[in-house]
Amino acid sequence: MSLARGAFIQLQVVHALVLRETRTRFGEHQLGYLWAVLEPLMWVGTFWGLYEVTDHPVPHGMDTLAFLATGVLTYELFAKNVSRISEAINGNKPLLFYPQVQPIDLVWARAALETATLTAVFVIVMGAGAFFRAQMPRVNDVLVVMAGLLMAALLGTSLGLLLCMLGTLSNLVERLRGPLMRPLFWISGLFFTVDAVPAGAQRALLLNPVLHAVELVREGWFSSYESPGASVPYVLYFTLALLTAGLLLERLVRRKIELS
Amino acid sequence: MIQLDHVYKTYGTIAGPNVVLNDVCVAFPDRESIGILGRNGAGKSTLLRIISGVEKPDSGRVSLTSRVSWPLGFAGGFSVSLSGEENCRFVARIYGESVDRVVASARDFAELGDYFYMPVRTYSSGMRARLAFGLSMAVDFDVYLVDEVTAVGDKQFQEKCRRAFAARQERSSVIIVSHSLSVIRSYCRRCAVLSHGGLRIFDSVKEASRAYDAGAAA
């Protein structure tokens, strides 16, 4: 089989998987796929409400909605990719019964769907916010925003892939994922900007690549903000390391994945 | 044409390695249906999975020049939370077939009525087999790999499957695994016996069954 033919079949399979995933994402719930959009909207809405009610200060006089949405949605783009992809194989074992469906296709399909969904939510929230709220700033540098979102998505996909493959070796991985991911929610800059913490703490916090992605999106959106350490190459190196490990592991375990 | 060259497959068990296929070299010519006999655990289902490509051999080569189905067995491959129709749409897409045509054709063949639009979870095992069969008939394969599935449906449905295969004998064949000689005889003229890791093809079902009974096929 030629490479082009193989690539065509793989695209065909991933396309079918994505369409299928929109039906199974929330089981037989009535609203179905709409939940994938509503859920992050509710996250942003909840924090926005809390900030407004408590009159919580926002760094650099940023608009509250814009500040929270850039943080929460960028983080969600990363985290949803991780959580959905790490369960891609376990949740779809019957599909491996078809010869052309390979385990890695299940990973790519979920990555494509989660990334597209959360990017759409980001555009909806920021677009609607800017349209209805005069005080909300328009995007300053759209390329930097896109770079930040892309980094969050790639990082989430790579980590999800690695966890997914490790998960085929031991179900301990799935048990530990939740508790290990939880701290990231608090240290990834959803509720602070990195220039507000002392220099020593900055260096430690900036070891976390998710924080870089969030900072990039904020820097791109607000003309008033310049991040003291956000770096695209740093996230890229991190992503490449995870991706390499994940793909190598995939080659090792692909024959061992049992059909159920 | 389906060709297996020096195919080995071993499963690790607590009691040590279990060699299921030991240097299997065999060619299945086009348009010739073949039955496969073998005791429980002899590796018949493994052989079908390896031919289909779902499972890879430990070593050796499988070359296919014909379009081979997925192994049709006890409803493996369906997502139980999706309806029969949704499962058909998915399969049509991964085989690059027209979705509407496959869905209509599978629906008519499976005769599930309204159940076709309900989650597969609510199906009985016979209904799942009907769906699997109807769906596989809707996609045009050169070779159908059948794993005991005909034993599941009722008499009428079994008869329907046989007629459907007879109607397409010109272009399609089956490789069928079964314990029932009468089932094999109704589909195939030739028959193979799988035992002790070796596969041997006989020119008639009679010879195969004699060898199988004698347990001397290896």
Side-chain angles (χ1 to χ4, degrees):
Chain A
M1 185 161 57
S2 72
L3 194 64
R5 175 94 190 118
F8 175 74
I9 290 176
Q10 190 169 19
L11 275 179
Q12 205 171 30
V13 168
V14 171
H15 174 240
L17 285 169
V18 169
L19 289 177
R20 184 184 161 283
E21 193 84 4
T22 61
R23 300 285 303 131
T24 53
R25 177 76 162 75
F26 288 92
E28 284 135 86
H29 196 282
Q30 285 173 341
L31 289 176
Y33 186 69
L34 203 56
W35 270 117
V37 177
L38 290 178
E39 204 181 56
L41 283 180
M42 280 158 59
W43 272 109
V44 174
T46 308
F47 288 117
W48 188 24
L50 282 173
Y51 265 59
E52 292 294 352
V53 166
T54 58
D55 209 11
H56 199 286
V58 175
H60 301 284
M62 290 175 182
D63 175 65
T64 311
L65 174 61
F67 169 74
L68 287 170
T70 46
V72 171
L73 294 179
T74 308
Y75 177 79
E76 277 290 289
L77 180 54
F78 159 78
K80 267 281 146 29
N81 266 302
V82 175
S83 64
R84 294 292 297 165
I85 292 173
S86 67
E87 289 187 83
I89 291 179
N90 278 336
N92 280 320
K93 277 221 173 133
L95 302 184
L96 296 176
F97 217 76
Y98 301 101
Q100 64 273 59
V101 179
Q102 295 297 316
I104 196 83
D105 298 336
L106 304 171
V107 168
W108 300 144
R110 286 199 166 177
L113 185 63
E114 295 309 316
T115 302
T117 304
L118 275 147
T119 308
V121 171
F122 185 88
V123 171
I124 292 168
V125 171
M126 300 309 274
F131 188 79
F132 291 112
R133 294 160 49 81
Q135 69 271 43
M136 189 163 137
R138 305 294 189 268
V139 59
N140 180 46
D141 187 339
V142 76
L143 281 179
V144 177
V145 173
M146 281 164 65
L149 294 175
L150 185 66
M151 288 305 111
L154 289 179
L155 187 67
T157 300
S158 311
L159 181 58
L161 168 70
L162 182 60
L163 292 178
C164 179
M165 295 305 155
L166 285 171
T168 63
L169 301 175
S170 162
N171 54 16
L172 201 62
V173 178
E174 222 22 65
R175 286 274 159 74
L176 293 176
R177 181 171 55 82
L180 290 178
M181 291 282 288
R182 185 55 43 88
L184 282 179
F185 182 79
W186 299 108
I187 61 170
S188 296
L190 279 75
F191 309 110
F192 63 88
T193 53
V194 83
D195 66 339
V197 295
Q202 267 184 27
R203 214 169 317 133
L205 280 172
L206 281 167
L207 290 174
N208 167 17
V210 188
L211 177 57
H212 285 256
V214 171
E215 287 279 298
L216 280 167
V217 174
R218 291 229 173 96
E219 186 173 283
W221 197 275
F222 301 100
S223 57
S224 60
Y225 184 62
E226 197 169 326
S227 172
S231 145
V232 173
Y234 180 78
V235 192
L236 265 185
Y237 295 146
F238 220 98
T239 301
L240 280 177
L242 291 170
L243 193 63
T244 308
L247 289 175
L248 283 175
L249 198 58
E250 191 267 340
R251 292 214 72 98
L252 290 176
V253 301
R254 66 159 62 152
R255 283 171 183 227
K256 299 206 178 76
I257 297 168
E258 279 178 29
L259 300 168
S260 60
Chain B
M1 180 77 128
I2 298 168
Q3 178 127 21
L4 277 67
D5 286 311
H6 304 286
V7 167
Y8 288 85
K9 184 75 188 181
T10 304
Y11 289 109
T13 66
I14 307 168
N18 175 24
V19 182
V20 177
L21 300 176
N22 187 6
D23 197 18
V24 170
C25 299
V26 69
F28 298 95
D30 283 339
R31 285 185 288 280
E32 186 173 30
S33 296
I34 287 186
I36 296 174
L37 286 169
R39 282 176 224 293
N40 287 328
K44 304 185 296 292
S45 302
T46 303
L47 179 67
L48 286 194
R49 285 204 297 271
I50 283 182
I51 291 174
S52 75
V54 169
E55 224 171 305
K56 303 276 178 281
D58 294 337
S59 68
R61 244 182 91 78
V62 179
S63 17
L64 308 174
T65 54
S66 21
R67 198 181 193 200
V68 177
S69 78
W70 69 92
L72 298 169
F74 293 100
F78 289 132
S79 310
V80 293
S81 67
L82 294 183
S83 71
E85 184 203 14
E86 285 164 331
N87 274 291
C88 291
R89 300 181 86 87
F90 175 74
V91 170
R93 287 196 186 101
I94 60 174
Y95 282 97
E97 300 270 334
S98 150
V99 171
D100 293 337
R101 190 189 58 74
V102 166
V103 166
S105 162
R107 186 189 53 217
D108 295 345
F109 193 92
E111 289 177 20
L112 293 170
D114 291 339
Y115 271 101
F116 189 64
Y117 302 100
M118 295 183 210
V120 170
R121 185 184 304 115
T122 61
Y123 291 18
S124 71
S125 57
M127 289 162 75
R128 291 181 192 202
R130 279 165 176 264
L131 182 63
F133 237 81
L135 179 52
S136 72
M137 287 313 221
V139 183
D140 246 326
F141 291 111
D142 300 324
V143 182
Y144 288 84
L145 305 175
V146 182
D147 194 352
E148 299 267 17
V149 77
T150 45
V152 178
D154 53 35
K155 265 265 150 28
Q156 273 171 320
F157 190 71
Q158 286 182 26
E159 195 45 49
K160 186 171 186 174
C161 291
R162 229 188 315 271
R163 279 202 308 275
F165 272 121
R168 56 168 66 203
Q169 217 166 25
E170 296 299 305
R171 50 203 165 99
S172 308
S173 59
V174 287
I175 296 179
I176 186 165
V177 156
S178 181
H179 290 289
S180 156
L181 276 174
S182 70
V183 167
I184 288 186
R185 220 174 266 129
S186 66
Y187 282 95
C188 323
R189 280 196 19 248
R190 298 177 79 198
C191 184
V193 176
L194 182 66
S195 77
H196 305 295
L199 183 72
R200 207 171 136 199
I201 299 185
F202 295 87
D203 281 330
S204 73
V205 178
K206 201 180 208 170
E207 283 173 63
S209 76
R210 205 177 298 141
Y212 176 58
D213 289 337

